[in-house]
Amino acid sequence: LFSGYARDGGLFMPEEIPSLDLATLQTWSTHTYPQLVEEICSLFISSEDLPREDLSDLISRAFRRFRHKDVVELASLKNGLNVLELWHGVTYAFKDLALSCVGQLLQYFLKKRKKQITIVVGTSGDTGSAAIESVRGVDNVNIIVLLPRGRCSPIQELQMTTVIEDN
């Protein structure tokens, strides 16, 4: 959580990926998006590191500001085509889904460790605004976003340059 890359410069990967039986998948098929996030996170984060009740509260806070009650919406189109709408977050970017959780995880573990960090983000668009919103108002996180002048859409630039927060 606190380092961007693995020691070899690549991405972090779990040592093993849990197998899910059919009964679990059938149960999960009735879950909301936040419930699925909680179930999947609990497979990879031990209850010793993050008790299940705290995880549930954290996920709930992460999605509180989304505009759709279910966070994501499965829209049915013609001829049996379905589209999953991933743009109901604060910045209208799919990145809100993951970064809102990352912001809550950072806050939880930093507060627990009594630590402060500064996040530096380089972006050409929606990553910057989603990152800002994910840690907006978090006491133990400062964020600096670098963006190319005139290279982001006007809405993205406004999302990154008009946030008034202490961090």
Side-chain angles (χ1 to χ4, degrees):
L1 183 63
F2 293 106
S3 59
Y5 297 99
R7 286 189 193 129
D8 65 0
L11 300 176
F12 286 102
M13 292 296 294
E15 290 180 15
E16 63 181 69
I17 297 175
S19 294
L20 301 172
D21 59 31
L22 184 58
T24 299
L25 292 173
Q26 288 173 330
T27 300
W28 286 9
S29 72
T30 64
H31 284 13
T32 64
Y33 184 82
Q35 290 170 327
L36 280 173
V37 170
E38 184 179 337
E39 293 295 341
I40 293 167
C41 284
S42 71
L43 295 174
F44 296 98
I45 304 170
S46 75
S47 58
E48 291 83 38
D49 289 332
L50 182 57
R52 187 64 183 253
E53 185 176 320
D54 291 349
L55 175 61
S56 182
D57 291 344
L58 183 150
I59 299 300
S60 177
R61 281 193 310 273
F63 297 123
R64 186 176 295 146
R65 294 173 56 208
F66 277 65
R67 288 177 301 283
H68 194 282
K69 67 179 178 57
D70 294 326
V71 178
V72 298
E73 171 74 12
L74 186 62
S76 296
L77 305 178
K78 293 179 183 176
N79 302 322
L81 180 63
N82 295 305
V83 176
L84 188 61
E85 297 174 354
L86 305 177
W87 46 265
H88 296 288
V90 176
T91 70
Y92 296 89
F94 72 92
K95 294 173 184 180
D96 290 329
L97 292 164
L99 288 174
S100 62
C101 294
V102 169
Q104 292 297 317
L105 287 164
L106 284 169
Q107 182 175 17
Y108 179 87
F109 287 109
L110 287 169
K111 187 179 281 187
K112 195 172 177 180
R113 296 175 182 181
K114 298 181 174 126
K115 299 277 184 182
Q116 176 85 21
I117 63 167
T118 299
I119 299 171
V120 179
V121 178
T123 186
S124 61
D126 53 2
T127 301
S129 53
I132 289 168
E133 290 298 335
S134 74
V135 297
R136 186 176 188 166
V138 173
D139 292 332
N140 33 8
V141 177
N142 293 316
I143 186 163
I144 299 167
V145 177
L146 307 171
L147 60 139
R149 182 180 298 233
R151 293 294 200 58
C152 299
S153 72
I155 187 76
Q156 289 170 331
E157 189 166 325
L158 286 169
Q159 286 176 332
M160 291 184 273
T161 59
T162 59
V163 177
I164 308 298
E165 287 290 347
D166 290 337
N167 65 331

